[in-house]
Amino acid sequence: IEVVRTSISSEDTSESLTERLAEAGASLMVDALRHADDLTYSPQDASAATYAKKILKAEASVDWNEDAQQICRRLRAFTPFPGCSSRIKGAVIKLWKAQPMEVVHDAAPGTILSLDGGVTVAAGRGAVRFTVLQKPGKARMDWKPFLQGFSLETGMRFES
């Protein structure tokens, strides 16, 4: 009956996109109800439709062999549920906000390259700088306070 389109930015998460689309949908619904007598519709093109499977928690683990861009896309897609995570020092760390870095390195995927400006981790290609992380049983926090309570060092390696 009505259609709304929105662009997806490199900062959008499934949460921000859902909120934006819910607001747009609610606005379209109110407008449609106000002009109910003037509505027309066209059937959905089934050949252009896709089905999305339910996202499972098992998909939340970061595969460090992936490209940095792909890791960041998965992180945004899985925010807020189920969230992405990786294991280091025996703890499962949730990873909430990051940006891909075009960094040339020879480190194994999952290796911490830097703790300057965030927790920068080697990916299969490039690196990912995490700026919001979460320790088990704690709230999300920026990278600096996170490191004050959970010490990491360059050269340490996250597990896939």
Side-chain angles (χ1 to χ4, degrees):
I1 294 173
E2 294 288 339
V3 174
V4 66
R5 299 188 189 284
T6 186
S7 59
I8 301 173
S9 79
S10 63
E11 297 295 314
D12 273 324
T13 65
S14 62
E15 181 177 39
S16 66
L17 191 56
T18 297
E19 288 172 5
R20 190 163 65 244
L21 290 172
E23 288 175 16
S27 178
L28 285 177
M29 180 67 75
V30 169
D31 188 53
L33 290 172
R34 285 187 181 138
H35 304 100
D37 294 336
D38 300 327
L39 294 178
T40 60
Y41 73 94
S42 56
Q44 177 175 317
D45 179 2
S47 68
T50 58
Y51 175 76
K53 299 182 304 182
K54 180 179 178 181
I55 295 173
L56 305 173
K57 282 187 178 182
E59 297 176 87
S61 183
V62 174
D63 179 355
W64 296 106
N65 292 306
E66 287 185 332
D67 175 90
Q69 293 278 352
Q70 185 63 28
I71 291 171
C72 289
R73 285 187 197 111
R74 177 179 295 265
L75 183 141
R76 290 193 328 271
F78 287 4
T79 298
F81 180 82
C84 284
S85 62
S86 191
R87 183 177 291 277
I88 193 166
K89 292 176 49 175
V92 176
I93 304 299
K94 287 247 188 170
L95 306 163
W96 292 108
K97 191 169 183 183
Q99 55 266 22
M101 309 294 290
E102 294 298 324
V103 175
V104 177
H105 61 79
D106 60 357
T111 302
I112 297 173
L113 300 174
S114 168
L115 297 171
D116 184 30
V119 179
T120 304
V121 182
R125 194 179 94 213
V128 181
R129 178 177 290 157
F130 295 96
T131 55
V132 178
L133 304 94
Q134 182 178 4
K135 298 181 280 191
K138 301 292 183 182
R140 297 177 193 185
M141 57 183 77
D142 286 335
W143 67 277
K144 278 186 179 181
F146 175 87
L147 291 176
Q148 290 172 348
F150 194 90
S151 65
L152 294 175
E153 297 174 10
T154 57
M156 291 179 138
R157 194 164 172 207
F158 281 93
E159 301 171 27
S160 285

